[in-house]
Amino acid sequence: MPSRSTTVPADLGFAQLLRANGLRATAQRRAIYSVFADAAEADSANAHLSAEEVFQQARVQLPELSRATVYNALGELAEAGLLGLVEGPGPRRYDANVMPHHHFRCRVCHQLHDVELDHVEVTLHERGFMVQSSHVLLEGLCPTCASAADPAPAG
Ligand SMILES: [Zn+2]
Ligand SMILES: [Zn+2]
């Protein structure tokens, strides 16, 4: 098993993966994908971006980008398996982490955090269930919002 990170493919892998899906590694697609690479590098918990957020950030690199180009490219990258998809609540988010995983969503700041819940699938498998896809969404307060919240119980 290669030891390189599986979260964000190297640039070469990016171009190859696009080609395998009949897509060219255009400047637009690179700029859009690099928004995720940068976000994942800064904080993997923040690497879940709505199309509008990607548009605003990619436009800094490539001012001629149109909203339609960004929306189309995100769909193509998700279809090619380079980005994951997280459906609402709230706007659909694209995920730099394409490995199977689940999410914790903070009810205050709405950030998504990746969580591993492998034992759920393993337990089901042991009971004879064949899990084909899964997405568990846990909700509550992230550490930052929990420590900012009033610790006194209400009522
Ligand atoms: Zn929070
Ligand atoms: Zn995620």
Side-chain angles (χ1 to χ4, degrees), residues 63-81:
E64 70 269 27
L65 264 184
S66 73
R67 193 178 257 106
T69 301
V70 171
Y71 278 62
N72 285 339
L74 285 170
E76 289 165 349
L77 292 173
E79 212 161 291

mmCIF file of all heavy atoms in Angstrom, residues 63-81:
data_model
loop_
_atom_site.group_PDB
_atom_site.id
_atom_site.type_symbol
_atom_site.label_atom_id
_atom_site.label_comp_id
_atom_site.label_asym_id
_atom_site.label_seq_id
_atom_site.Cartn_x
_atom_site.Cartn_y
_atom_site.Cartn_z
ATOM 1 N N PRO A 63 -9.795 35.367 -11.794
ATOM 2 C CA PRO A 63 -10.913 36.318 -11.735
ATOM 3 C C PRO A 63 -11.956 36.128 -12.840
ATOM 4 O O PRO A 63 -13.105 36.537 -12.668
ATOM 5 C CB PRO A 63 -10.220 37.683 -11.868
ATOM 6 C CG PRO A 63 -8.806 37.438 -11.485
ATOM 7 C CD PRO A 63 -8.502 36.031 -11.889
ATOM 8 N N GLU A 64 -11.568 35.499 -13.961
ATOM 9 C CA GLU A 64 -12.522 35.351 -15.060
ATOM 10 C C GLU A 64 -13.477 34.181 -14.856
ATOM 11 O O GLU A 64 -14.368 33.953 -15.673
ATOM 12 C CB GLU A 64 -11.785 35.211 -16.397
ATOM 13 C CG GLU A 64 -11.034 33.906 -16.587
ATOM 14 C CD GLU A 64 -9.588 33.969 -16.106
ATOM 15 O OE1 GLU A 64 -9.300 34.790 -15.195
ATOM 16 O OE2 GLU A 64 -8.755 33.209 -16.621
ATOM 17 N N LEU A 65 -13.304 33.417 -13.782
ATOM 18 C CA LEU A 65 -14.185 32.271 -13.514
ATOM 19 C C LEU A 65 -15.629 32.733 -13.355
ATOM 20 O O LEU A 65 -15.910 33.694 -12.648
ATOM 21 C CB LEU A 65 -13.774 31.592 -12.210
ATOM 22 C CG LEU A 65 -12.849 30.382 -12.238
ATOM 23 C CD1 LEU A 65 -12.692 29.865 -10.825
ATOM 24 C CD2 LEU A 65 -13.348 29.302 -13.152
ATOM 25 N N SER A 66 -16.536 32.004 -13.989
ATOM 26 C CA SER A 66 -17.951 32.309 -13.801
ATOM 27 C C SER A 66 -18.540 31.319 -12.802
ATOM 28 O O SER A 66 -17.996 30.230 -12.591
ATOM 29 C CB SER A 66 -18.699 32.216 -15.129
ATOM 30 O OG SER A 66 -18.839 30.869 -15.507
ATOM 31 N N ARG A 67 -19.642 31.718 -12.215
ATOM 32 C CA ARG A 67 -20.325 30.861 -11.256
ATOM 33 C C ARG A 67 -20.723 29.531 -11.921
ATOM 34 O O ARG A 67 -20.569 28.464 -11.345
ATOM 35 C CB ARG A 67 -21.550 31.590 -10.706
ATOM 36 C CG ARG A 67 -22.154 30.947 -9.483
ATOM 37 C CD ARG A 67 -23.328 31.751 -8.958
ATOM 38 N NE ARG A 67 -22.983 32.532 -7.776
ATOM 39 C CZ ARG A 67 -22.810 33.848 -7.733
ATOM 40 N NH1 ARG A 67 -22.946 34.563 -8.823
ATOM 41 N NH2 ARG A 67 -22.520 34.463 -6.616
ATOM 42 N N ALA A 68 -21.205 29.614 -13.168
ATOM 43 C CA ALA A 68 -21.651 28.406 -13.881
ATOM 44 C C ALA A 68 -20.489 27.437 -14.090
ATOM 45 O O ALA A 68 -20.647 26.222 -13.943
ATOM 46 C CB ALA A 68 -22.270 28.786 -15.220
ATOM 47 N N THR A 69 -19.307 27.972 -14.424
ATOM 48 C CA THR A 69 -18.124 27.125 -14.620
ATOM 49 C C THR A 69 -17.784 26.383 -13.336
ATOM 50 O O THR A 69 -17.481 25.196 -13.340
ATOM 51 C CB THR A 69 -16.920 27.986 -15.051
ATOM 52 O OG1 THR A 69 -17.264 28.662 -16.250
ATOM 53 C CG2 THR A 69 -15.680 27.140 -15.274
ATOM 54 N N VAL A 70 -17.851 27.113 -12.209
ATOM 55 C CA VAL A 70 -17.523 26.506 -10.916
ATOM 56 C C VAL A 70 -18.528 25.403 -10.584
ATOM 57 O O VAL A 70 -18.150 24.294 -10.195
ATOM 58 C CB VAL A 70 -17.492 27.578 -9.805
ATOM 59 C CG1 VAL A 70 -17.367 26.937 -8.426
ATOM 60 C CG2 VAL A 70 -16.340 28.547 -10.044
ATOM 61 N N TYR A 71 -19.808 25.685 -10.765
ATOM 62 C CA TYR A 71 -20.836 24.682 -10.452
ATOM 63 C C TYR A 71 -20.669 23.447 -11.338
ATOM 64 O O TYR A 71 -20.757 22.320 -10.859
ATOM 65 C CB TYR A 71 -22.242 25.288 -10.612
ATOM 66 C CG TYR A 71 -22.693 26.095 -9.407
ATOM 67 C CD1 TYR A 71 -21.994 27.229 -9.013
ATOM 68 C CD2 TYR A 71 -23.806 25.716 -8.667
ATOM 69 C CE1 TYR A 71 -22.389 27.969 -7.914
ATOM 70 C CE2 TYR A 71 -24.213 26.460 -7.553
ATOM 71 C CZ TYR A 71 -23.506 27.586 -7.188
ATOM 72 O OH TYR A 71 -23.899 28.318 -6.094
ATOM 73 N N ASN A 72 -20.416 23.657 -12.629
ATOM 74 C CA ASN A 72 -20.214 22.522 -13.541
ATOM 75 C C ASN A 72 -18.993 21.709 -13.155
ATOM 76 O O ASN A 72 -19.030 20.480 -13.121
ATOM 77 C CB ASN A 72 -20.051 23.015 -14.983
ATOM 78 C CG ASN A 72 -21.382 23.451 -15.576
ATOM 79 O OD1 ASN A 72 -22.442 23.060 -15.101
ATOM 80 N ND2 ASN A 72 -21.313 24.281 -16.590
ATOM 81 N N ALA A 73 -17.881 22.416 -12.887
ATOM 82 C CA ALA A 73 -16.625 21.731 -12.571
ATOM 83 C C ALA A 73 -16.756 20.935 -11.275
ATOM 84 O O ALA A 73 -16.236 19.818 -11.164
ATOM 85 C CB ALA A 73 -15.487 22.742 -12.458
ATOM 86 N N LEU A 74 -17.469 21.473 -10.298
ATOM 87 C CA LEU A 74 -17.659 20.746 -9.037
ATOM 88 C C LEU A 74 -18.416 19.443 -9.277
ATOM 89 O O LEU A 74 -18.069 18.398 -8.725
ATOM 90 C CB LEU A 74 -18.410 21.617 -8.023
ATOM 91 C CG LEU A 74 -17.582 22.733 -7.382
ATOM 92 C CD1 LEU A 74 -18.479 23.671 -6.589
ATOM 93 C CD2 LEU A 74 -16.488 22.164 -6.493
ATOM 94 N N GLY A 75 -19.430 19.507 -10.129
ATOM 95 C CA GLY A 75 -20.179 18.303 -10.470
ATOM 96 C C GLY A 75 -19.293 17.273 -11.156
ATOM 97 O O GLY A 75 -19.353 16.084 -10.851
ATOM 98 N N GLU A 76 -18.433 17.757 -12.057
ATOM 99 C CA GLU A 76 -17.525 16.853 -12.775
ATOM 100 C C GLU A 76 -16.504 16.224 -11.830
ATOM 101 O O GLU A 76 -16.225 15.028 -11.922
ATOM 102 C CB GLU A 76 -16.784 17.631 -13.870
ATOM 103 C CG GLU A 76 -17.666 18.029 -15.038
ATOM 104 C CD GLU A 76 -17.014 19.086 -15.925
ATOM 105 O OE1 GLU A 76 -15.967 19.658 -15.519
ATOM 106 O OE2 GLU A 76 -17.544 19.354 -16.994
ATOM 107 N N LEU A 77 -15.958 17.037 -10.933
ATOM 108 C CA LEU A 77 -14.947 16.529 -10.001
ATOM 109 C C LEU A 77 -15.561 15.520 -9.039
ATOM 110 O O LEU A 77 -14.940 14.518 -8.693
ATOM 111 C CB LEU A 77 -14.301 17.685 -9.220
ATOM 112 C CG LEU A 77 -13.432 18.640 -10.046
ATOM 113 C CD1 LEU A 77 -12.996 19.834 -9.200
ATOM 114 C CD2 LEU A 77 -12.214 17.917 -10.605
ATOM 115 N N ALA A 78 -16.804 15.766 -8.614
ATOM 116 C CA ALA A 78 -17.477 14.817 -7.729
ATOM 117 C C ALA A 78 -17.756 13.514 -8.467
ATOM 118 O O ALA A 78 -17.570 12.422 -7.922
ATOM 119 C CB ALA A 78 -18.773 15.424 -7.192
ATOM 120 N N GLU A 79 -18.180 13.633 -9.730
ATOM 121 C CA GLU A 79 -18.468 12.438 -10.520
ATOM 122 C C GLU A 79 -17.196 11.634 -10.770
ATOM 123 O O GLU A 79 -17.234 10.409 -10.819
ATOM 124 C CB GLU A 79 -19.112 12.849 -11.840
ATOM 125 C CG GLU A 79 -20.092 11.842 -12.372
ATOM 126 C CD GLU A 79 -21.010 12.472 -13.398
ATOM 127 O OE1 GLU A 79 -21.845 13.314 -13.001
ATOM 128 O OE2 GLU A 79 -20.863 12.146 -14.579
ATOM 129 N N ALA A 80 -16.065 12.334 -10.927
ATOM 130 C CA ALA A 80 -14.787 11.670 -11.165
ATOM 131 C C ALA A 80 -14.220 11.069 -9.879
ATOM 132 O O ALA A 80 -13.178 10.427 -9.911
ATOM 133 C CB ALA A 80 -13.791 12.661 -11.762
ATOM 134 N N GLY A 81 -14.877 11.300 -8.747
ATOM 135 C CA GLY A 81 -14.420 10.720 -7.488
ATOM 136 C C GLY A 81 -13.323 11.516 -6.808
ATOM 137 O O GLY A 81 -12.687 11.037 -5.876
#
